[in-house]
Amino acid sequence: MAGSKQAVKLIANNKKAYFDYFIEDKYEAGIELCGTEVKSLRMGKCSIKESFIRIERGEVYVYGMHISPYEKGNIFNKDPLRVRRLLLHKHEINKMSGALAQKGYTLVPLSVYLKGSLVKIEVGLAKGKKLYDKRETIAKKDQRREAEKEFKVKNLY
């Protein structure tokens, strides 16, 4: 398996997480899904904007992840907002638990994507930003945008 590249197709992205938190560490986890949910995800029907992650009884769960019901699924469709278990190694869960015990840390979903035929979620160990940090982020974005604008203008002439 080493050396073979698997195609990665992004399904959902959580840009707000990068604005609201400092992402300190990232983990890749599988998601426990049923068949119609996988079909719906392949069509790109997923949102993680309002979702959050908790560790309960040594297992990791994602709350508020919305997967739209599959149109052709009828009776097999599950609740779009149901709690889903994330599949991680025990040592990763223990590492996350230790970090969450420290003040100010939380787990946030960063993105959902297809890696080969598997659905994966990227989980970020994050520390909340204060208001002045958010202002600083906005200022940096504006600065970069201005620089790119000037660069484009210079290259046109």
Side-chain angles (χ1 to χ4, degrees):
M1 198 77 191
S4 66
K5 291 269 185 190
Q6 288 185 320
V8 175
K9 181 187 170 230
L10 188 68
I11 298 170
N13 202 354
N14 192 356
K15 290 180 183 173
K16 197 165 173 20
Y18 290 99
F19 181 73
D20 289 339
Y21 302 98
F22 292 113
I23 309 300
E24 309 236 333
D25 208 356
K26 293 179 183 179
Y27 299 92
E28 182 181 72
I31 314 171
E32 195 174 76
L33 299 167
C34 58
T36 55
E37 289 176 326
V38 176
K39 289 179 179 182
S40 189
L41 281 168
R42 286 191 184 285
M43 293 168 66
K45 307 261 173 98
C46 176
S47 172
I48 54 171
K49 281 184 174 57
E50 301 296 317
S51 58
F52 59 96
I53 297 169
R54 281 200 186 135
I55 299 177
E56 295 169 0
R57 299 178 310 278
E59 293 188 339
V60 186
Y61 295 93
V62 63
Y63 292 82
M65 179 177 163
H66 187 277
I67 298 177
S68 300
Y70 184 59
E71 293 103 47
K72 301 175 182 80
N74 57 40
I75 61 166
F76 299 108
N77 282 336
K78 299 275 193 244
D79 176 29
L81 286 170
R82 78 181 179 93
V83 178
R84 294 170 180 89
R85 188 165 68 115
L86 298 184
L87 310 171
L88 285 152
H89 291 285
K90 192 58 90 185
H91 67 89
E92 290 177 316
I93 296 171
N94 292 339
K95 195 174 174 185
M96 284 182 195
S97 298
L100 289 176
Q102 295 176 23
K103 192 172 165 59
Y105 281 97
T106 187
L107 290 172
V108 289
L110 301 175
S111 61
V112 177
Y113 53 93
L114 285 167
K115 188 174 185 182
S117 63
L118 304 173
V119 178
K120 300 285 186 178
I121 185 167
E122 189 174 42
V123 177
L125 182 65
K127 199 172 188 124
K129 282 186 182 179
K130 303 279 189 273
L131 184 62
Y132 58 84
D133 291 326
K134 291 181 186 179
R135 286 192 189 126
E136 197 176 291
T137 305
I138 292 169
K140 281 182 184 173
K141 269 187 189 169
D142 287 344
Q143 213 172 19
R144 195 178 74 236
R145 202 176 295 121
E146 287 296 320
E148 286 173 1
K149 196 174 175 182
E150 282 181 34
F151 183 72
K152 276 185 183 175
V153 170
K154 283 181 184 176
N155 285 344
L156 286 174
Y157 300 109

